[in-house]
PDB file of all heavy atoms in Angstrom:
ATOM      1  N   THR E 101     -11.741   7.361   5.438  1.00  0.00           N
ATOM      2  CA  THR E 101     -11.316   8.519   4.623  1.00  0.00           C
ATOM      3  C   THR E 101     -10.302   9.336   5.321  1.00  0.00           C
ATOM      4  O   THR E 101     -10.481   9.806   6.515  1.00  0.00           O
ATOM      5  CB  THR E 101     -12.543   9.437   4.286  1.00  0.00           C
ATOM      6  OG1 THR E 101     -13.484   8.608   3.534  1.00  0.00           O
ATOM      7  CG2 THR E 101     -12.210  10.573   3.453  1.00  0.00           C
ATOM      8  N   TRP E 102      -9.109   9.484   4.625  1.00  0.00           N
ATOM      9  CA  TRP E 102      -8.071  10.229   5.154  1.00  0.00           C
ATOM     10  C   TRP E 102      -8.266  11.747   4.723  1.00  0.00           C
ATOM     11  O   TRP E 102      -8.921  12.003   3.729  1.00  0.00           O
ATOM     12  CB  TRP E 102      -6.718   9.784   4.576  1.00  0.00           C
ATOM     13  CG  TRP E 102      -6.295   8.388   5.021  1.00  0.00           C
ATOM     14  CD1 TRP E 102      -7.070   7.237   4.928  1.00  0.00           C
ATOM     15  CD2 TRP E 102      -5.111   8.018   5.695  1.00  0.00           C
ATOM     16  NE1 TRP E 102      -6.386   6.132   5.384  1.00  0.00           N
ATOM     17  CE2 TRP E 102      -5.154   6.614   5.943  1.00  0.00           C
ATOM     18  CE3 TRP E 102      -4.018   8.684   6.158  1.00  0.00           C
ATOM     19  CZ2 TRP E 102      -4.208   5.866   6.593  1.00  0.00           C
ATOM     20  CZ3 TRP E 102      -2.955   8.014   6.743  1.00  0.00           C
ATOM     21  CH2 TRP E 102      -3.028   6.594   6.933  1.00  0.00           C
ATOM     22  N   LEU E 103      -7.694  12.609   5.451  1.00  0.00           N
ATOM     23  CA  LEU E 103      -7.752  14.071   5.115  1.00  0.00           C
ATOM     24  C   LEU E 103      -6.461  14.674   4.523  1.00  0.00           C
ATOM     25  O   LEU E 103      -5.431  14.185   4.972  1.00  0.00           O
ATOM     26  CB  LEU E 103      -8.114  14.878   6.477  1.00  0.00           C
ATOM     27  CG  LEU E 103      -9.408  14.392   7.149  1.00  0.00           C
ATOM     28  CD1 LEU E 103      -9.593  15.244   8.389  1.00  0.00           C
ATOM     29  CD2 LEU E 103     -10.596  14.689   6.188  1.00  0.00           C
ATOM     30  N   VAL E 104      -6.581  15.609   3.667  1.00  0.00           N
ATOM     31  CA  VAL E 104      -5.368  16.266   3.191  1.00  0.00           C
ATOM     32  C   VAL E 104      -5.035  17.300   4.132  1.00  0.00           C
ATOM     33  O   VAL E 104      -5.812  18.161   4.567  1.00  0.00           O
ATOM     34  CB  VAL E 104      -5.654  16.909   1.805  1.00  0.00           C
ATOM     35  CG1 VAL E 104      -4.453  17.676   1.325  1.00  0.00           C
ATOM     36  CG2 VAL E 104      -6.079  15.896   0.810  1.00  0.00           C
ATOM     37  N   VAL E 105      -3.709  17.312   4.632  1.00  0.00           N
ATOM     38  CA  VAL E 105      -3.275  18.386   5.568  1.00  0.00           C
ATOM     39  C   VAL E 105      -2.286  19.316   4.961  1.00  0.00           C
ATOM     40  O   VAL E 105      -2.145  20.477   5.416  1.00  0.00           O
ATOM     41  CB  VAL E 105      -2.785  17.783   6.856  1.00  0.00           C
ATOM     42  CG1 VAL E 105      -3.849  17.089   7.667  1.00  0.00           C
ATOM     43  CG2 VAL E 105      -1.650  16.751   6.606  1.00  0.00           C
ATOM     44  N   SER E 106      -1.540  18.976   3.982  1.00  0.00           N
ATOM     45  CA  SER E 106      -0.608  19.930   3.363  1.00  0.00           C
ATOM     46  C   SER E 106      -0.144  19.388   1.970  1.00  0.00           C
ATOM     47  O   SER E 106      -0.346  18.228   1.670  1.00  0.00           O
ATOM     48  CB  SER E 106       0.636  20.053   4.252  1.00  0.00           C
ATOM     49  OG  SER E 106       1.426  18.904   4.324  1.00  0.00           O
ATOM     50  N   SER E 107       0.394  20.238   1.166  1.00  0.00           N
ATOM     51  CA  SER E 107       0.888  19.881  -0.108  1.00  0.00           C
ATOM     52  C   SER E 107       2.078  20.902  -0.447  1.00  0.00           C
ATOM     53  O   SER E 107       2.119  22.028  -0.005  1.00  0.00           O
ATOM     54  CB  SER E 107      -0.124  19.891  -1.159  1.00  0.00           C
ATOM     55  OG  SER E 107      -0.769  21.178  -1.377  1.00  0.00           O
ATOM     56  N   SER E 108       3.036  20.431  -1.277  1.00  0.00           N
ATOM     57  CA  SER E 108       4.091  21.312  -1.658  1.00  0.00           C
ATOM     58  C   SER E 108       4.593  20.807  -3.027  1.00  0.00           C
ATOM     59  O   SER E 108       4.306  19.790  -3.505  1.00  0.00           O
ATOM     60  CB  SER E 108       5.119  21.366  -0.607  1.00  0.00           C
ATOM     61  OG  SER E 108       5.770  20.090  -0.481  1.00  0.00           O
ATOM     62  N   ASN E 109       5.452  21.684  -3.664  1.00  0.00           N
ATOM     63  CA  ASN E 109       6.117  21.287  -4.850  1.00  0.00           C
ATOM     64  C   ASN E 109       7.583  21.824  -4.809  1.00  0.00           C
ATOM     65  O   ASN E 109       7.747  23.050  -4.715  1.00  0.00           O
ATOM     66  CB  ASN E 109       5.429  21.738  -6.041  1.00  0.00           C
ATOM     67  CG  ASN E 109       5.964  21.185  -7.366  1.00  0.00           C
ATOM     68  OD1 ASN E 109       7.166  21.236  -7.711  1.00  0.00           O
ATOM     69  ND2 ASN E 109       5.058  20.789  -8.208  1.00  0.00           N
ATOM     70  N   ILE E 110       8.596  20.920  -4.740  1.00  0.00           N
ATOM     71  CA  ILE E 110       9.973  21.323  -4.723  1.00  0.00           C
ATOM     72  C   ILE E 110      10.657  20.908  -5.978  1.00  0.00           C
ATOM     73  O   ILE E 110      10.732  19.641  -6.266  1.00  0.00           O
ATOM     74  CB  ILE E 110      10.673  20.744  -3.477  1.00  0.00           C
ATOM     75  CG1 ILE E 110       9.978  21.284  -2.168  1.00  0.00           C
ATOM     76  CG2 ILE E 110      12.086  21.190  -3.499  1.00  0.00           C
ATOM     77  CD1 ILE E 110      10.420  20.679  -0.938  1.00  0.00           C
ATOM     78  N   GLU E 111      11.046  21.857  -6.809  1.00  0.00           N
ATOM     79  CA  GLU E 111      11.839  21.523  -8.052  1.00  0.00           C
ATOM     80  C   GLU E 111      10.984  20.608  -8.972  1.00  0.00           C
ATOM     81  O   GLU E 111      11.615  19.678  -9.529  1.00  0.00           O
ATOM     82  CB  GLU E 111      13.184  21.064  -7.763  1.00  0.00           C
ATOM     83  CG  GLU E 111      14.097  22.108  -7.015  1.00  0.00           C
ATOM     84  CD  GLU E 111      15.491  21.496  -6.786  1.00  0.00           C
ATOM     85  OE1 GLU E 111      15.735  20.384  -6.903  1.00  0.00           O
ATOM     86  OE2 GLU E 111      16.284  22.289  -6.290  1.00  0.00           O
ATOM     87  N   GLY E 112       9.734  20.831  -9.051  1.00  0.00           N
ATOM     88  CA  GLY E 112       8.869  19.949  -9.917  1.00  0.00           C
ATOM     89  C   GLY E 112       8.469  18.655  -9.366  1.00  0.00           C
ATOM     90  O   GLY E 112       7.722  17.824 -10.107  1.00  0.00           O
ATOM     91  N   ASN E 113       8.759  18.386  -8.050  1.00  0.00           N
ATOM     92  CA  ASN E 113       8.347  17.168  -7.424  1.00  0.00           C
ATOM     93  C   ASN E 113       7.286  17.340  -6.363  1.00  0.00           C
ATOM     94  O   ASN E 113       7.590  17.899  -5.291  1.00  0.00           O
ATOM     95  CB  ASN E 113       9.638  16.480  -6.728  1.00  0.00           C
ATOM     96  CG  ASN E 113      10.757  16.195  -7.772  1.00  0.00           C
ATOM     97  OD1 ASN E 113      10.440  15.981  -8.911  1.00  0.00           O
ATOM     98  ND2 ASN E 113      11.986  16.272  -7.235  1.00  0.00           N
ATOM     99  N   PRO E 114       6.096  17.112  -6.727  1.00  0.00           N
ATOM    100  CA  PRO E 114       4.894  17.345  -5.790  1.00  0.00           C
ATOM    101  C   PRO E 114       4.883  16.380  -4.659  1.00  0.00           C
ATOM    102  O   PRO E 114       5.221  15.233  -4.710  1.00  0.00           O
ATOM    103  CB  PRO E 114       3.631  17.214  -6.672  1.00  0.00           C
ATOM    104  CG  PRO E 114       4.077  16.217  -7.735  1.00  0.00           C
ATOM    105  CD  PRO E 114       5.585  16.457  -7.987  1.00  0.00           C
ATOM    106  N   THR E 115       4.347  16.972  -3.487  1.00  0.00           N
ATOM    107  CA  THR E 115       4.129  16.160  -2.303  1.00  0.00           C
ATOM    108  C   THR E 115       2.817  16.504  -1.667  1.00  0.00           C
ATOM    109  O   THR E 115       2.384  17.642  -1.755  1.00  0.00           O
ATOM    110  CB  THR E 115       5.282  16.525  -1.233  1.00  0.00           C
ATOM    111  OG1 THR E 115       6.512  16.123  -1.684  1.00  0.00           O
ATOM    112  CG2 THR E 115       4.986  15.856   0.095  1.00  0.00           C
ATOM    113  N   VAL E 116       2.097  15.456  -1.163  1.00  0.00           N
ATOM    114  CA  VAL E 116       0.898  15.695  -0.484  1.00  0.00           C
ATOM    115  C   VAL E 116       0.967  14.839   0.832  1.00  0.00           C
ATOM    116  O   VAL E 116       1.614  13.678   0.789  1.00  0.00           O
ATOM    117  CB  VAL E 116      -0.383  15.306  -1.277  1.00  0.00           C
ATOM    118  CG1 VAL E 116      -0.464  13.718  -1.551  1.00  0.00           C
ATOM    119  CG2 VAL E 116      -1.643  15.690  -0.577  1.00  0.00           C
ATOM    120  N   THR E 117       0.484  15.421   1.935  1.00  0.00           N
ATOM    121  CA  THR E 117       0.416  14.664   3.259  1.00  0.00           C
ATOM    122  C   THR E 117      -0.982  14.543   3.621  1.00  0.00           C
ATOM    123  O   THR E 117      -1.806  15.433   3.687  1.00  0.00           O
ATOM    124  CB  THR E 117       1.217  15.474   4.234  1.00  0.00           C
ATOM    125  OG1 THR E 117       2.513  15.574   3.862  1.00  0.00           O
ATOM    126  CG2 THR E 117       1.216  14.681   5.661  1.00  0.00           C
ATOM    127  N   LEU E 118      -1.329  13.203   3.931  1.00  0.00           N
ATOM    128  CA  LEU E 118      -2.652  12.928   4.445  1.00  0.00           C
ATOM    129  C   LEU E 118      -2.527  12.495   5.927  1.00  0.00           C
ATOM    130  O   LEU E 118      -1.533  12.174   6.381  1.00  0.00           O
ATOM    131  CB  LEU E 118      -3.215  11.732   3.718  1.00  0.00           C
ATOM    132  CG  LEU E 118      -3.200  11.822   2.143  1.00  0.00           C
ATOM    133  CD1 LEU E 118      -3.769  10.491   1.561  1.00  0.00           C
ATOM    134  CD2 LEU E 118      -3.849  12.947   1.610  1.00  0.00           C
ATOM    135  N   GLU E 119      -3.750  12.574   6.636  1.00  0.00           N
ATOM    136  CA  GLU E 119      -3.754  12.184   8.004  1.00  0.00           C
ATOM    137  C   GLU E 119      -4.975  11.393   8.339  1.00  0.00           C
ATOM    138  O   GLU E 119      -6.094  11.606   7.681  1.00  0.00           O
ATOM    139  CB  GLU E 119      -3.518  13.307   9.039  1.00  0.00           C
ATOM    140  CG  GLU E 119      -4.724  14.198   9.158  1.00  0.00           C
ATOM    141  CD  GLU E 119      -4.493  15.198  10.269  1.00  0.00           C
ATOM    142  OE1 GLU E 119      -3.352  15.533  10.617  1.00  0.00           O
ATOM    143  OE2 GLU E 119      -5.506  15.763  10.803  1.00  0.00           O
ATOM    144  N   LEU E 120      -4.884  10.502   9.322  1.00  0.00           N
ATOM    145  CA  LEU E 120      -5.982   9.827   9.832  1.00  0.00           C
ATOM    146  C   LEU E 120      -5.917   9.767  11.402  1.00  0.00           C
ATOM    147  O   LEU E 120      -4.902   9.551  11.940  1.00  0.00           O
ATOM    148  CB  LEU E 120      -5.917   8.322   9.359  1.00  0.00           C
ATOM    149  CG  LEU E 120      -7.085   7.388   9.710  1.00  0.00           C
ATOM    150  CD1 LEU E 120      -8.311   7.850   8.983  1.00  0.00           C
ATOM    151  CD2 LEU E 120      -6.670   5.973   9.399  1.00  0.00           C
ATOM    152  N   LYS E 121      -7.061  10.170  12.059  1.00  0.00           N
ATOM    153  CA  LYS E 121      -7.118  10.145  13.451  1.00  0.00           C
ATOM    154  C   LYS E 121      -8.163   9.176  13.956  1.00  0.00           C
ATOM    155  O   LYS E 121      -9.061   8.767  13.239  1.00  0.00           O
ATOM    156  CB  LYS E 121      -7.520  11.592  13.961  1.00  0.00           C
ATOM    157  CG  LYS E 121      -6.544  12.680  13.656  1.00  0.00           C
ATOM    158  CD  LYS E 121      -7.048  14.012  14.231  1.00  0.00           C
ATOM    159  CE  LYS E 121      -6.083  15.149  13.892  1.00  0.00           C
ATOM    160  NZ  LYS E 121      -6.603  16.437  14.400  1.00  0.00           N
ATOM    161  N   ASP E 122      -7.998   8.897  15.276  1.00  0.00           N
ATOM    162  CA  ASP E 122      -8.992   8.001  15.872  1.00  0.00           C
ATOM    163  C   ASP E 122     -10.375   8.689  15.979  1.00  0.00           C
ATOM    164  O   ASP E 122     -10.444   9.914  16.013  1.00  0.00           O
ATOM    165  CB  ASP E 122      -8.411   7.616  17.243  1.00  0.00           C
ATOM    166  CG  ASP E 122      -8.250   8.752  18.138  1.00  0.00           C
ATOM    167  OD1 ASP E 122      -7.222   9.511  18.034  1.00  0.00           O
ATOM    168  OD2 ASP E 122      -9.143   9.051  19.022  1.00  0.00           O
ATOM    169  N   ASN E 123     -11.322   7.805  16.038  1.00  0.00           N
ATOM    170  CA  ASN E 123     -12.727   8.265  16.278  1.00  0.00           C
ATOM    171  C   ASN E 123     -13.517   7.246  16.900  1.00  0.00           C
ATOM    172  O   ASN E 123     -12.985   6.157  17.249  1.00  0.00           O
ATOM    173  CB  ASN E 123     -13.358   8.831  14.891  1.00  0.00           C
ATOM    174  CG  ASN E 123     -13.505   7.796  13.867  1.00  0.00           C
ATOM    175  OD1 ASN E 123     -13.355   6.505  14.104  1.00  0.00           O
ATOM    176  ND2 ASN E 123     -13.590   8.134  12.569  1.00  0.00           N
ATOM    177  N   THR E 124     -14.839   7.402  16.966  1.00  0.00           N
ATOM    178  CA  THR E 124     -15.640   6.318  17.570  1.00  0.00           C
ATOM    179  C   THR E 124     -15.615   5.036  16.903  1.00  0.00           C
ATOM    180  O   THR E 124     -15.665   4.008  17.515  1.00  0.00           O
ATOM    181  CB  THR E 124     -17.138   6.805  17.711  1.00  0.00           C
ATOM    182  OG1 THR E 124     -17.601   7.244  16.525  1.00  0.00           O
ATOM    183  CG2 THR E 124     -17.269   8.013  18.667  1.00  0.00           C
ATOM    184  N   TYR E 125     -15.554   5.133  15.520  1.00  0.00           N
ATOM    185  CA  TYR E 125     -15.393   3.856  14.810  1.00  0.00           C
ATOM    186  C   TYR E 125     -14.097   3.055  15.135  1.00  0.00           C
ATOM    187  O   TYR E 125     -14.162   1.861  15.285  1.00  0.00           O
ATOM    188  CB  TYR E 125     -15.383   4.224  13.210  1.00  0.00           C
ATOM    189  CG  TYR E 125     -15.170   3.173  12.220  1.00  0.00           C
ATOM    190  CD1 TYR E 125     -16.108   2.046  12.125  1.00  0.00           C
ATOM    191  CD2 TYR E 125     -14.013   3.102  11.464  1.00  0.00           C
ATOM    192  CE1 TYR E 125     -15.891   1.098  11.240  1.00  0.00           C
ATOM    193  CE2 TYR E 125     -13.835   2.159  10.528  1.00  0.00           C
ATOM    194  CZ  TYR E 125     -14.755   1.079  10.393  1.00  0.00           C
ATOM    195  OH  TYR E 125     -14.502   0.057   9.511  1.00  0.00           O
ATOM    196  N   THR E 126     -13.014   3.768  15.163  1.00  0.00           N
ATOM    197  CA  THR E 126     -11.717   3.072  15.461  1.00  0.00           C
ATOM    198  C   THR E 126     -11.713   2.584  16.889  1.00  0.00           C
ATOM    199  O   THR E 126     -11.192   1.512  17.198  1.00  0.00           O
ATOM    200  CB  THR E 126     -10.484   3.948  15.144  1.00  0.00           C
ATOM    201  OG1 THR E 126     -10.392   4.986  16.134  1.00  0.00           O
ATOM    202  CG2 THR E 126     -10.492   4.562  13.786  1.00  0.00           C
ATOM    203  N   HIS E 127     -12.252   3.385  17.795  1.00  0.00           N
ATOM    204  CA  HIS E 127     -12.256   2.962  19.216  1.00  0.00           C
ATOM    205  C   HIS E 127     -13.178   1.787  19.496  1.00  0.00           C
ATOM    206  O   HIS E 127     -12.963   1.023  20.376  1.00  0.00           O
ATOM    207  CB  HIS E 127     -12.771   4.134  20.070  1.00  0.00           C
ATOM    208  CG  HIS E 127     -11.618   5.117  20.376  1.00  0.00           C
ATOM    209  ND1 HIS E 127     -10.775   4.970  21.413  1.00  0.00           N
ATOM    210  CD2 HIS E 127     -11.297   6.303  19.743  1.00  0.00           C
ATOM    211  CE1 HIS E 127      -9.946   5.976  21.448  1.00  0.00           C
ATOM    212  NE2 HIS E 127     -10.194   6.834  20.401  1.00  0.00           N
ATOM    213  N   SER E 128     -14.066   1.499  18.576  1.00  0.00           N
ATOM    214  CA  SER E 128     -14.927   0.351  18.712  1.00  0.00           C
ATOM    215  C   SER E 128     -14.184  -0.996  18.464  1.00  0.00           C
ATOM    216  O   SER E 128     -14.554  -1.981  18.902  1.00  0.00           O
ATOM    217  CB  SER E 128     -16.098   0.417  17.741  1.00  0.00           C
ATOM    218  OG  SER E 128     -15.701   0.206  16.377  1.00  0.00           O
ATOM    219  N   MET E 129     -13.001  -0.807  17.764  1.00  0.00           N
ATOM    220  CA  MET E 129     -12.141  -1.985  17.463  1.00  0.00           C
ATOM    221  C   MET E 129     -10.829  -1.957  18.121  1.00  0.00           C
ATOM    222  O   MET E 129     -10.276  -2.993  18.454  1.00  0.00           O
ATOM    223  CB  MET E 129     -11.884  -2.052  15.882  1.00  0.00           C
ATOM    224  CG  MET E 129     -13.020  -2.418  15.083  1.00  0.00           C
ATOM    225  SD  MET E 129     -12.629  -2.171  13.352  1.00  0.00           S
ATOM    226  CE  MET E 129     -13.022  -0.441  13.096  1.00  0.00           C
ATOM    227  N   TRP E 130     -10.300  -0.716  18.397  1.00  0.00           N
ATOM    228  CA  TRP E 130      -8.978  -0.576  18.886  1.00  0.00           C
ATOM    229  C   TRP E 130      -9.016   0.674  19.797  1.00  0.00           C
ATOM    230  O   TRP E 130      -8.917   1.921  19.229  1.00  0.00           O
ATOM    231  CB  TRP E 130      -8.034  -0.483  17.693  1.00  0.00           C
ATOM    232  CG  TRP E 130      -6.600  -0.580  17.993  1.00  0.00           C
ATOM    233  CD1 TRP E 130      -5.990  -1.683  18.497  1.00  0.00           C
ATOM    234  CD2 TRP E 130      -5.542   0.394  17.742  1.00  0.00           C
ATOM    235  NE1 TRP E 130      -4.554  -1.504  18.566  1.00  0.00           N
ATOM    236  CE2 TRP E 130      -4.356  -0.243  18.162  1.00  0.00           C
ATOM    237  CE3 TRP E 130      -5.503   1.675  17.273  1.00  0.00           C
ATOM    238  CZ2 TRP E 130      -3.099   0.442  17.972  1.00  0.00           C
ATOM    239  CZ3 TRP E 130      -4.332   2.388  17.160  1.00  0.00           C
ATOM    240  CH2 TRP E 130      -3.096   1.680  17.567  1.00  0.00           C
TER     241      TRP E 130
END
Side-chain angles (χ1 to χ4, degrees):
T101 298
W102 295 57
L103 301 178
V104 178
V105 290
S106 66
S107 59
S108 63
N109 189 312
I110 299 173
E111 298 180 350
N113 301 328
T115 294
V116 67
T117 300
L118 310 181
E119 75 171 21
L120 184 70
K121 294 180 180 178
D122 59 281
N123 60 20
T124 52
Y125 174 66
T126 68
H127 279 275
S128 70
M129 290 172 274
W130 196 61

